[in-house]
Every structure is written in C-alpha cells, then in structure tokens.
Amino acid sequence: MRQQKIEELSINTIRLLAVDAIQKANSGHPGMPMGVAPIGYLLYKKIMNHNPANPKWINRDRFVLSGGHGSMLLYSLLHLSGYDVSLDDLKNFRQWESITPGHPEFGITPGVETTTGPLGQGLANAIGMAVAQKHLASIFNKEGFNILDHYIYVEAGDGDLMEGLSHEAASFAGHNKLGKLILFFDDNKITIDGATSISNSDDTAKRFESYNWHVQYVDDGNDLDKLTNAVNNAQEESDKPSIIITRTTIGYGSPNKQGTSGVHGSPLGDEEVVLTKKYFGFPEKKTFYISEEVSEHFSDVIIEGNKNEEEWNDLFKEYSTKYSEEAELFEKVMSGNFGDSWIEKLPKFENYGESIATRSASGAVLNAIAPELPTLFGGSADLTPSNNTDIKGSPDFSADSPKGSYIRYGVREHAMAAIMNGMALYGGVIPYGGTFMVFSDYLRPSIRLAAISKIKPIYVLTHDSIGLGEDGPTHQPIEHAAALRSIPGLFFIRPADANETVEAWRFAIQHSGSPVAIALTRHKLPILDRNKYTSADGLHRGAYILKDSDGTPDIILLASGSEVDIALKAADRFEDENIKARVVSFPSWELFDQQSDDYKESVLPKNVRARLSIEAGIKQGWEKYVGLDGASISIEKYGASAPYETLFEKYGFTVDNVIEKGKKLVMKNS
C-alpha cells in the first residue's frame, strides 16, 4: 500500500511540476505531461537502464519525446531522476538562455536525446537510433558480450501519427524488424482543434499491424501494472517494433479542463492550478513542491544507474581483452573518430579532358573510401542507380542482414532524412542518403532540425539542374540551391568537376557540427586540367581563383557546378578580345563566408566591380557576391522537357551569352 502511495505521489509531483513551470512562464502545454506522467514515471524510475550521472553512457536506454510540446514532462523527469537539471532550471522554463526551452533541444539539456516539436520527427529519429543500434550491434556484439543491448522508448501522440512522416518511418521500421523500439502512443483523443474525431478516424491498431508491428492496448494510462506488463511483452518481442496504444486523459486532474482541447496548449490559470493541486492533495499555495518522500524515492535512480554502467564497464574490459581490435574500433567510432586512412584512398581524376558526371565521381569516391570506413552507413530513397550511392559488393542492411551497410529506404525521402538524424544522434556511424535535388523539398524539415541540432548527416543530391534534361520541370531544381543555402548551419556544396567532388566528400567526412549537402550533376562534365588550373582543394575555402588574368581583371566570372566550364571557355574568349577575365569556382557560399576578409578580398577585390555570376538556378543570394554593379545569368522560371544541351542553350547558359553580358558589365564599370 505504501508503495502504491509513493508511486501516486511521485506521478502527481511530475504533473504539478509541469503545471507550475508552465503557469510561471505563462506559456506551454500542460495537458500532455499531466496525462502521460505515469508512463514517464514508469520508464525513468522502474524500467529504463540509464545513468543520470552520465547521460552519454553508450549502452543507455533512450527516451524520445516525439510530442515535444510536452517538454515539461521530460524536464520534470530529468530533474527528479538526478540529471543536471535543477529546480531553478524548471523555474526558468521557456526563458532566455535557460536549458529548459519550450521544446526539447539536443545539446542544450542533459538527458535530451533529440530535438523534437515538429510532429513525427521524434518517432522517425528514434527509428534511426534503432537502425544504428541494430547495425552496430551486429558488427561489435559477440557471443556473451552484448555491449550494445538496450531499448529505445518513444512517446508519440495523435498529431505525431497523423503526420505523413510517421507513416513512412513506421513502415520502414516494421519492414526492418526493429525489435528494440517501443512506442507509447498517447491516445488521448484530443487535438488543438478539438476531438480527434473531427479530422481522423484511423484504426491505429490495424494500421500498425499492417506495418508488421507488435500491437498492444492499455485501456487506462494510470494503471502501472498494465503498463508494466505491456512493456514486458514488448521486450519479449524481438522481431518486431512495438506500439503500446495507451488511453490517457489530457490534463488529468484539472477539474474543469481535463479531457478538453483547452488544456492542450495554454496554462491552466491561477484558479485552476489551485483546484488541481487540491484534487491531488498537494499544498495549494506552494509551487514546485517536491516532498522529501519523493526525493528519496528517486534517489536510487542514480545509484542504480552508476551500478549498471559499472557492470557494463566490467563487461567491456573483458571484451577488450578478448576482442582487442573490435574494442579499439568501437571506442573510436563511438567517439566520432573515424581515422584518416580513408584519405589515402581518395581517387584522383587525372584523365584531364575526359568527361564524367559528378554523381558518377561521387560514387567512385564512396566505393574507394568505404573499406577504410567500416561504419559508413548510407542509402537512397529508391534512386540508387541514379544517385550512385551504393557500395559495390556490400550487402544491404535488412532485418536478416543488419551488418549490411547500404539502406534501401524506398520512396520515403522525408523518413530517410529523419532516420539519418536519429542515426547521427546515436553516433558511431557516418550516415548519408541520396535523392534528386528537387526532392530536397521533402527532406527540408529534417535538414533544418539537423542544423539546429548541430549533427552531420550527409545528403547526396543528384540531378542538380536543368541539366537532367528530358524529365522536365517537375524534376529540375530551380529554387532549390537558394532554399538550401538559406538554412543556417547547412553546408551546401556544388562541385564543378570530379576532383572538386572528391574534395566535397573529404570535407563532408572530416567536418562535424552541422549537416552537409552535396549537389551533383546527371550530365557529364569535363575533368578540369589541374596542371593548367588551380588545385581542387581550393573547394575547402568555398570559392577560389580557378583561372586568373595577367594583372587586375576587367571582369570576374563566378560560377558553381556545371557552369564553371562555361565560365572557363568564356574567359578564353575574353582573352582573345583583350579583356582580362578571372574565373572563380564558387562551390560553397558557407565555406567562403567563413574565410578571412583578406582572403575574400584576394578573390573578389572591391575595385573590380564588373562581376557576373553563372548558375542554373534562381539568382537569389548572388547579389551578395556580384554587388550592385554586377549581374547574374540565372533561371527565373521553371525548366522544360528537352535534351540538356538544348535547355542550356535556350536558357542562356552559353559562352556567347556570357560574352555578351560580360562586355556590357565591363563597359558599364569602365
């Protein structure tokens, strides 16, 4: 009986900490924390194998709050469990520079596994974590030494499961039999607009059964015994991910608001807070109240966590003795150290004058370095032959072959990007994924979250312009380079030839702290003669002088990707007409912007005002580099279906057009 009392007291403490923090901030979402508190309590106090003293312990169970609006549930649990989240941190909920922001953010709060809030993302991230775990466990676990042996738990609500992303990701998870994934579906039947029935009539159980998930239903989210039995059943089901559909009451305990949409996204209000505390038998005038009983009850979480980690450390010591090479590699990759032996394997394209599509060059790079990067882990959204992302001779990752290093994502671009985020957050792998550049629109929400989270998935975006030709405007990216460049923290790289593609991959793998997108051509480009032009390693500075003039140039031609070759040919023509032209290969604005002012001035001297950018997309943003007196050859409308040679001519990407516009600029600025 006493045990039941302390459990209820603890759960209600979690609820009211959330209520008080939201009321103090006068902003937030109290309903979900109040309804889901029993699940959170059960996981953090009784079920999860975690160590609050070391939130980064490799073999910890993970918890992902996909419904990130309920962040105060997580912050309350972290505080009570002994993570480095103080009571003052709870009191500073949603305030400037606090570690308790409105939605959980990875890297801000100890114990927060991923950035959530945009619905569906957390569920897909958790699936990515389960993929990384399954893959790495198949590589490193040995008989008697399961050094990666833990679960990924997720909370998701109605909104998460309505998002299309959840369909893509859940289907992928079931197909790949991710048995270490356990999802609690918070079935409170309320959305912001009202009852879920006004917009949704899905049968969630049938839906997830069709995805090949293990499905259970708990009719009372306050019943700890039923919840515990469901978790035990889920853990026993090793060949399927599990969903526990749990009937909860949003805003549980609020006499006038529970079960209504009014408690979803607004503070309860002073009077209702008092009534709610009275309902739970808590001191009505005390805020952020934690009884000594509850503090003592949670005190053994950190003790148990330390004990579990010490036992794992002992296991790993034995493992290190018996499997020294594997242990050394495991420690390196889990710390983000992938070595540098792969650098020596980078190909050199020295058959100058020959032509190769940069997507093909990218594929050659991947296949050259993969043997030296055993946890390079990538795939494609059903475009493998077009993206050139596969590793020859490597098996596919699958339910039956988790050691495989190539992922068949199917036509699930958004899920691919969100799953890659989960893999990057888990660590130990270098995740990359391919699709057409035009479909980066489908990746964008996940790219943005990767940038916010400062993690590094690598996006291989092929068919990067009207140069893809006959597929026409639906597949030809026009605004996409500008859209990708607009994402703070994303490094967008558009290499000009095969050797710049090599350097793009060198940067992408060595870089850390933000995502990288590499834009690649379908059509063949000449391999630039690096005996005649500057070395391709200039790519690491974002923009570099590829071909210079004698003395101060009359005009600077700035180009990226396939248009660099056009600029070079135009420069030769300018020289024939005694116009001094400099060609700047400009693969990455973000890298160039990081350079010193002196370097920028050396590439784009202020006194040369005749500048012409050449890029097969909208000109938006090039104004920063061409200046008020410069101009752009760009595309300000959608593409068309025709051979790429015809398209480049019709859209003005010709040497003649560059010469014509360039001469006008020179005259204007002379």
Side-chain angles (χ1 to χ4, degrees):
M1 195 72 178
R2 184 180 183 280
Q3 178 67 16
Q4 185 179 14
K5 181 183 176 184
I6 189 60
E7 288 174 344
E8 289 180 3
L9 184 60
S10 298
I11 291 166
N12 293 336
T13 298
I14 295 165
R15 286 172 166 141
L16 292 174
L17 285 173
V19 165
D20 282 339
I22 292 163
Q23 191 64 30
K24 184 175 186 295
N26 195 31
S27 174
H29 301 74
M32 191 267 270
M34 296 172 76
V36 179
I39 296 171
Y41 165 81
L42 184 69
L43 290 175
Y44 275 80
K45 177 65 176 73
K46 294 193 155 192
I47 289 177
M48 286 205 313
N49 189 12
H50 63 121
N51 186 4
N54 181 12
K56 297 299 183 184
W57 174 35
I58 290 170
N59 197 45
R60 68 189 181 279
D61 286 338
R62 274 79 167 164
F63 173 71
V64 173
L65 186 75
S66 195
H69 56 276
S71 57
M72 266 311 304
L73 168 70
L74 181 53
Y75 300 149
S76 299
L77 289 165
L78 293 173
H79 170 69
L80 291 171
S81 299
Y83 287 81
D84 191 12
V85 178
S86 69
L87 197 59
D88 283 340
D89 291 325
L90 302 191
K91 293 177 181 178
N92 284 323
F93 177 56
R94 288 184 166 227
Q95 303 308 302
W96 175 252
E97 292 187 337
S98 77
I99 66 165
T100 49
H103 292 80
E105 296 181 38
F106 175 75
I108 300 293
T109 316
V112 169
E113 300 286 357
T114 181
T115 301
T116 57
L119 294 176
Q121 287 285 342
L123 172 56
N125 293 169
I127 289 167
M129 293 175 190
V131 168
Q133 180 196 12
K134 186 164 187 169
H135 178 62
L136 290 169
S138 71
I139 295 172
F140 292 108
N141 285 3
K142 307 293 182 184
E143 187 174 351
F145 293 94
N146 288 334
I147 57 172
L148 286 176
D149 185 18
H150 61 82
Y151 291 92
I152 292 112
Y153 297 94
V154 197
E155 176 282 334
D158 297 286
D160 287 288
L161 297 195
M162 287 186 200
E163 288 286 358
L165 172 58
S166 76
H167 294 258
E168 293 182 30
S171 173
F172 176 90
H175 176 74
N176 286 287
K177 300 182 180 179
L178 302 178
K180 291 291 190 177
L181 179 71
I182 299 175
L183 164 63
F184 280 95
F185 169 42
D186 172 25
D187 184 23
N188 62 33
K189 301 196 182 301
I190 291 292
T191 66
I192 293 175
D193 281 2
T196 54
S197 59
I198 66 176
S199 60
N200 189 55
S201 55
D202 292 357
D203 187 323
T204 301
K206 288 181 180 177
R207 174 183 157 190
F208 276 80
E209 284 171 3
S210 75
Y211 293 151
N212 198 35
W213 284 55
H214 176 238
V215 179
Q216 299 177 82
Y217 185 76
V218 173
D219 60 5
D220 181 2
N222 289 316
D223 192 321
L224 293 182
D225 289 337
K226 289 181 178 179
L227 292 171
T228 301
N229 288 337
V231 172
N232 291 338
N233 293 337
Q235 289 177 344
E236 289 173 7
E237 179 55 74
S238 60
D239 285 337
K240 292 181 179 182
S242 288
I243 180 172
I244 302 170
I245 302 169
T246 308
R247 185 72 174 94
T248 63
T249 301
I250 192 170
Y252 181 83
S254 169
N256 296 306
K257 295 188 176 182
Q258 69 175 14
T260 71
S261 59
V263 76
H264 171 87
S266 301
L268 294 184
D270 291 335
E271 292 182 8
E272 192 69 13
V273 168
V274 170
L275 291 174
T276 303
K277 290 180 178 179
K278 185 176 181 181
Y279 176 84
F280 288 124
F282 272 55
E284 296 167 21
K285 295 187 178 180
K286 286 189 177 181
T287 58
F288 298 95
Y289 175 73
I290 304 171
S291 69
E292 290 185 13
E293 269 185 296
V294 169
S295 294
E296 183 181 349
H297 182 58
F298 273 95
S299 64
D300 63 354
V301 173
I302 201 165
I303 295 170
E304 189 70 19
N306 278 322
K307 176 187 169 188
N308 291 336
E309 185 173 353
E310 286 171 10
E311 289 176 357
W312 184 87
N313 288 337
D314 291 339
L315 178 70
F316 190 73
K317 283 178 185 176
E318 288 185 56
Y319 179 86
S320 301
T321 301
K322 193 168 184 179
Y323 303 101
S324 57
E325 289 185 11
E326 290 89 341
E328 183 181 2
L329 179 61
F330 179 79
E331 289 185 305
K332 283 182 177 178
V333 299
M334 294 308 296
S335 66
N337 175 8
F338 299 98
D340 55 14
S341 62
W342 59 273
I343 295 174
E344 297 176 2
K345 302 296 183 181
L346 287 167
K348 295 177 182 177
F349 294 89
E350 295 177 330
N351 45 335
Y352 303 131
E354 292 187 18
S355 294
I356 179 174
T358 52
R359 63 168 176 165
S360 299
S362 172
V365 174
L366 280 170
N367 278 274
I369 64 178
E372 300 297 321
L373 290 168
T375 57
L376 184 66
F377 196 27
S380 171
D382 199 53
L383 288 168
T384 297
S386 297
N387 297 149
N388 291 91
T389 40
D390 57 327
I391 309 299
K392 308 301 180 190
S394 173
D396 291 345
F397 171 85
S398 69
D400 299 323
S401 179
K403 235 181 225 189
S405 59
Y406 192 72
I407 303 172
R408 305 287 177 172
Y409 283 105
V411 188
R412 301 184 181 104
E413 293 92 349
H414 196 179
M416 176 179 73
I419 288 167
M420 287 165 60
N421 284 355
M423 291 160 59
L425 288 158
Y426 189 90
V429 297
I430 304 172
Y432 70 90
T435 188
F436 289 175
M437 185 167 157
V438 75
F439 300 138
S440 63
D441 287 337
Y442 290 161
L443 312 181
R444 187 178 176 86
S446 296
I447 295 176
R448 185 174 187 272
L449 286 171
I452 290 172
S453 302
K454 297 181 172 62
I455 55 176
K456 190 195 73 179
I458 302 170
Y459 313 105
V460 181
L461 305 177
T462 69
H463 298 59
D464 72 344
S465 74
I466 57 170
L468 69 87
E470 292 85 349
D471 273 345
T474 61
H475 283 55
Q476 294 166 358
I478 300 297
E479 71 277 26
H480 296 76
L484 289 162
R485 287 167 175 151
S486 75
I487 300 175
L490 172 68
F491 284 81
F492 176 77
I493 305 174
R494 189 168 182 246
D497 75 340
N499 286 304
E500 276 197 11
T501 303
V502 172
E503 297 304 324
W505 270 107
R506 185 200 300 265
F507 171 79
I509 292 173
Q510 290 180 323
H511 174 70
S512 62
S514 55
V516 178
I518 305 175
L520 303 164
T521 65
R522 174 182 184 264
H523 60 294
K524 292 181 178 181
L525 304 180
I527 299 171
L528 302 178
D529 186 345
R530 297 297 169 166
N531 295 315
K532 181 179 178 182
Y533 304 121
T534 310
S535 170
D537 62 11
L539 175 139
H540 297 269
R541 307 193 82 167
Y544 64 102
I545 300 170
L546 182 62
K547 171 182 166 60
D548 211 355
S549 59
D550 291 330
T552 302
D554 298 313
I555 186 170
I556 300 175
L557 304 177
L558 303 80
S560 76
S562 54
E563 291 76 73
V564 170
D565 181 54
I566 299 171
L568 287 170
K569 290 173 179 173
D572 290 340
R573 282 268 301 277
F574 277 128
E575 284 183 4
D576 292 341
E577 300 185 33
N578 295 316
I579 295 173
K580 292 182 286 187
R582 170 180 291 181
V583 176
V584 173
S585 180
F586 217 130
S588 175
W589 295 4
E590 297 78 26
L591 281 171
F592 184 69
D593 288 347
Q594 287 185 345
Q595 305 308 309
S596 68
D597 289 342
D598 286 345
Y599 178 76
K600 292 175 187 175
E601 173 67 17
S602 72
V603 176
L604 300 175
K606 293 183 179 66
N607 64 334
V608 182
R609 303 172 71 85
R611 303 178 187 177
L612 179 65
S613 69
I614 311 163
E615 187 175 66
I618 63 171
K619 69 180 178 181
Q620 180 178 315
W622 277 108
E623 297 89 344
K624 178 179 179 180
Y625 305 106
V626 300
L628 294 175
D629 297 314
S632 296
I633 295 177
S634 62
I635 302 176
E636 304 302 322
K637 59 182 180 180
Y638 292 112
S641 178
Y644 81 88
E645 299 93 340
T646 302
L647 292 171
F648 270 81
E649 179 186 353
K650 298 296 184 183
Y651 280 77
F653 291 92
T654 63
V655 172
D656 286 344
N657 193 36
V658 173
I659 296 297
E660 180 185 345
K661 289 188 178 295
K663 284 182 176 179
K664 289 179 181 178
L665 281 176
V666 171
M667 290 180 62
K668 173 184 171 184
N669 288 281
S670 60

